[in-house]
Every structure is written in C-alpha cells, then in structure tokens.
Amino acid sequence: MRTKGTRAEKAVPTAAAAAARRGMLPTLLAFLARLIAPSRTPYSLADLLQAEVPGYENIRFYADMPQADLRAKRPQFLPRVDASDSRESWLALSSGGAGGAFGAGVLTGWSERGDRPLFDLVTGVSAGALIAPFAFIGSQADRELASLFTGASVAQLNHSQSLLSGVFGQGAIPAKPLRALIDAHVDADLVQRIAARYRAGARLLVVTTNLDAQRNVVWDIGAIACSQRPNRLQLIGDVLEASASLPAIFPPIRIAVNGNDKVFDELHADGGTIRQLYLLPDAYLNSAASDEMRPDIYCIVNSELAPRFSVIPQQSIEIAERALSSLEKSGAARSVAELAAFARLTKATFRLAFIDRSIPTNRRVPFDPGFMLRAYALGQSKGRAGAWAFGPPVGTDLLED
C-alpha cells in the first residue's frame, strides 16, 4: 500500500514520467531550463532605443538603420582617408566557425605574395570578427593571426560540457576557452595599434546580434580603442566574444548599458545569426551610386558557397542540419551577390575568395584541428596565387562529398 504522502525525492521523477507519457517532456525540459537560467533585469523597447554603453558615445549603430540616419552615422561606417593618389581598399570577412582558418590563410598567403594592401575599412562577422583586428593592423600581425586559428589553444574549444549543462545551460561549450583565446591575442598593444589606425581615418567594424532586438549591431572598434576608457580592452573582448559566440554552442554575452536612466544588460551573440557577411549599412548599399568612392572591395567568405551533393539519411537531426546548412549557404551567397552588385553600381572593383572544394572534417568536433589546418593551407595557397573570383558560384558548380 502507498503511504499517505509522496516522498519528496520521488516527486520530480514521478512528474517527469507523467509528463513523458503525455508527450509533454519538451515542455517540462523548457520549464526546468527557465528555472535555472540566469535572471535578467526587464526593460522596455523605449529603454533599448536610448541605450548606450556607460562612458561611451557613438561606438555602435544598427546595420539596418533607416536612411535618414546615414548622414549622421557616415563618419562611423566609412573611412576618412586621403586616397587621392590611390584607391581605397575595403575588406569584408564572413562568419564560418572553424572555417575562419581559411580567411587567416588567405591573408597570410597574400602577405607572402607581396601585394596585400593596408585596408582602409575592415568588417568582421563571427569568425571574421576574430580575424578582423589583425587584418586591420596589417601584415605584421600575421603570426598572431595564424596562431589564433591553428594553434594548440584552439583545441580547447572542443571541450564540451555535460549533457545536462548543454541542455539546461546556455551553450554546449563553456565560454572560458573562447575568451581565453581572445584575451591571449587581443592585448593592450593591439588596441593601441588599432587606435593609431583609427586616428589616421581607417575603420574597423565588428557585427553582433542583439538577441532581444533581433537586429545586427555594428561596433566601431577603433572608436572604442581611442576612447582611453579604462575598460576599453574588456569591452573590445566582449564584442569579439559575442560576435563569435555561435548560438547553442557558446553562451551569449551580456553587455551592460544605460537607457532612460535605467541600467540593464543587452544579450549579444553571433553576428552571423542574421547575416554571414557585412560591409555597409543596408540603406547605404541601396543609395550610394552617386558617391565618388571607387574602392577595391575584397570579400573573404570562410565557408563554402557552392551547393554540395550528398544523399541525406531521412532522420530528423540530419534533415534539420542539412536545412540549416542550406539556409546559411544561400544567405551568404545572396550577401556576396549584393556586394558584387554594389561594386558594379559604384564602379568599384570586387574580388572574392571562398572555400571552393570539399575539405574532410570530423562533424562531431566543432573546431576540428585537421579541418582547420587544411582550410588554412587552402586559403594560404589562394592568397599566394592571387586567386580571386568575381562573384558567387552558380548552382551548377556543385561540390561532392
């Protein structure tokens, strides 16, 4: 016979079993996850629209800002350099996770070729955000850039958490290894060199996704570096970490702000959540035909762009992964096509590098060292050869496993 009351230690297992029998297990898991999630200070849309990082002004803007804001924000998103005797050089670096090794290889190989320019504008999303500061500084930072994506410290990124932490926590991989990797390479000396280039008129922009607003935020890293604020190195690290924090893989990053006299945290994550590639505000791309700029635009996509043929098992996980991969690939290809069209419209030049062959990878390891070394080598060979494309591949340029 049962006792009159249910023992406390059996209450949760009993509830879980009942929920599972009723097909409610996903709801129960979501409920439990919310119980252990870090608390957040609630705030309103009005607060968000007035939000600024304490002590800073004009260090960020939305990628989808309205056209009416372009004139005021122009000094933030366009370089201010004297290029009367030569063309400006702009570089856009895409997302791609472990594929960031490819972009690092392109840049180091390009330096070896001897005709890599000092870029007037550098933008980075996700993996591209980690590359961007070193690309901005110039070829003298190639050694740090290579070690960032091929060093032994990258292996630490593959240390996953327990199954329960992955399900109920904020990410499958703890944040400490990624932040340690950033802090080991982004130091006070690098920030000073970024500041010097910013004062000369060059611009370094990094993209995050504000998860609360569902909008891309573009951060003016040079302006932060020039601020002389005591926490500028910490803030730059936060922005880089947020941009590279793949959803469900790494935890999002809280960035403290003030808005309408209220202090709260914005939640920022991978810039590639919304777009894999960024160069200029959306409104500007559609209105710049009358400008006199004729830059050389270089775009490095740290992933494949061509469709890949593979017979997919009819299983939910495989189907979901395939669908997400297809969505990301088509989104990146559209972004590249938009930049190529912008270049034609403004009579700028456009050059593209991307992973154009199948590289074996261990799909169970997010940052497979073998894949990264091969991706780096491919990029390096392209950089040395000056092997650039002029637009995204067409649908007939299929890759095959």
Side-chain angles (χ1 to χ4, degrees):
M1 294 181 61
R2 294 184 179 179
T3 59
K4 194 170 186 179
T6 303
R7 294 179 61 186
E9 63 267 25
K10 291 185 178 180
V12 172
T14 300
R21 286 197 298 270
R22 293 178 175 85
M24 295 171 58
L25 187 56
T27 302
L28 178 62
L29 291 176
F31 172 73
L32 293 174
R34 284 195 295 272
L35 287 180
I36 64 175
S39 62
R40 299 190 63 200
T41 300
Y43 65 96
S44 67
L45 177 58
D47 299 332
L48 173 66
L49 294 177
Q50 297 297 319
E52 289 188 341
V53 179
Y56 295 89
E57 293 182 356
N58 299 320
I59 61 168
R60 62 183 192 166
F61 55 88
Y62 285 112
D64 62 349
M65 74 169 82
Q67 190 163 354
D69 292 346
L70 289 178
R71 182 179 295 275
K73 297 293 185 182
R74 186 184 177 103
Q76 288 181 258
F77 66 77
L78 284 179
R80 191 182 67 254
V81 297
D82 181 12
S84 57
D85 57 344
S86 63
R87 299 168 70 102
E88 292 183 6
S89 296
W90 296 359
L91 174 66
L93 296 157
S94 85
S95 61
F102 171 79
V106 171
L107 289 167
T108 57
W110 196 355
S111 295
E112 294 171 18
R113 179 181 170 85
D115 58 354
R116 175 178 152 188
L118 188 60
F119 300 108
D120 304 296
L121 172 65
V122 176
T123 67
V125 180
S126 194
L130 300 183
I131 300 172
F134 305 97
F136 186 69
I137 292 305
S139 298
Q140 67 266 35
D142 282 357
R143 179 175 297 179
E144 293 92 334
L145 179 58
S147 67
L148 179 65
F149 281 92
T150 60
S153 54
V154 175
Q156 299 298 316
L157 300 181
N158 293 317
H159 291 178
S160 61
Q161 305 194 79
S162 67
L163 179 60
L164 287 179
S165 296
V167 172
F168 295 120
Q170 302 176 64
I173 298 177
K176 286 184 179 179
L178 175 59
R179 189 51 183 256
L181 183 66
I182 293 171
D183 290 344
H185 291 81
V186 180
D187 56 16
D189 178 64
L190 180 67
V191 170
Q192 289 297 332
R193 289 193 282 173
I194 290 172
R197 293 230 55 221
Y198 175 83
R199 286 190 290 266
R203 293 293 177 263
L204 170 60
L205 307 175
V206 165
V207 181
T208 66
T209 296
N210 183 323
L211 294 176
D212 299 323
Q214 292 188 317
R215 300 175 75 184
N216 273 146
V217 178
V218 184
W219 297 81
D220 188 344
I221 301 299
I224 299 173
C226 275
S227 68
Q228 299 305 311
R229 297 285 301 175
N231 69 333
R232 63 188 182 278
L233 179 58
Q234 173 72 31
L235 180 57
I236 290 173
D238 288 345
V239 171
L240 295 178
E241 183 181 4
S243 184
S245 291
L246 303 170
I249 302 297
F250 295 108
I253 303 303
R254 292 188 178 204
I255 296 181
V257 296
N258 292 334
N260 285 337
D261 297 322
K262 180 183 292 186
V263 178
F264 54 92
D265 291 332
E266 296 174 346
L267 205 60
H268 288 258
D270 181 14
T273 303
I274 295 176
R275 69 187 76 206
Q276 286 84 53
L277 187 67
Y278 171 85
L279 181 65
L280 294 163
D282 299 338
Y284 187 82
L285 287 174
N286 298 319
S287 65
S290 61
D291 274 5
E292 296 182 356
M293 297 178 305
R294 303 291 183 268
D296 294 323
I297 300 174
Y298 298 94
C299 176
I300 299 177
V301 175
N302 297 300
S303 59
E304 298 172 1
L305 288 176
R308 176 194 284 260
F309 170 77
S310 181
V311 178
I312 302 300
Q314 196 168 342
Q315 299 172 345
S316 57
I317 295 294
E318 296 283 351
I319 293 170
E321 183 180 358
R322 184 68 166 183
L324 180 59
S325 172
S326 301
L327 180 63
E328 292 175 345
K329 189 174 292 189
S330 62
R334 281 195 300 272
S335 294
V336 170
E338 289 172 0
L339 293 189
F342 169 79
R344 289 193 297 271
L345 185 67
T346 58
K347 296 181 173 59
T349 62
F350 181 80
R351 300 291 183 269
L352 169 69
F354 61 95
I355 297 177
D356 59 358
R357 67 189 65 175
S358 297
I359 302 177
T361 184
N362 183 351
R363 294 170 58 192
R364 296 185 179 183
V365 180
F367 297 89
D368 178 8
F371 169 84
M372 296 179 75
L373 286 173
R374 288 185 286 268
Y376 181 87
L378 174 62
Q380 192 173 38
S381 67
K382 285 182 173 292
R384 287 170 177 162
W388 298 96
F390 303 98
V394 298
T396 53
D397 294 333
L398 291 172
L399 299 178
E400 186 173 2
D401 282 340

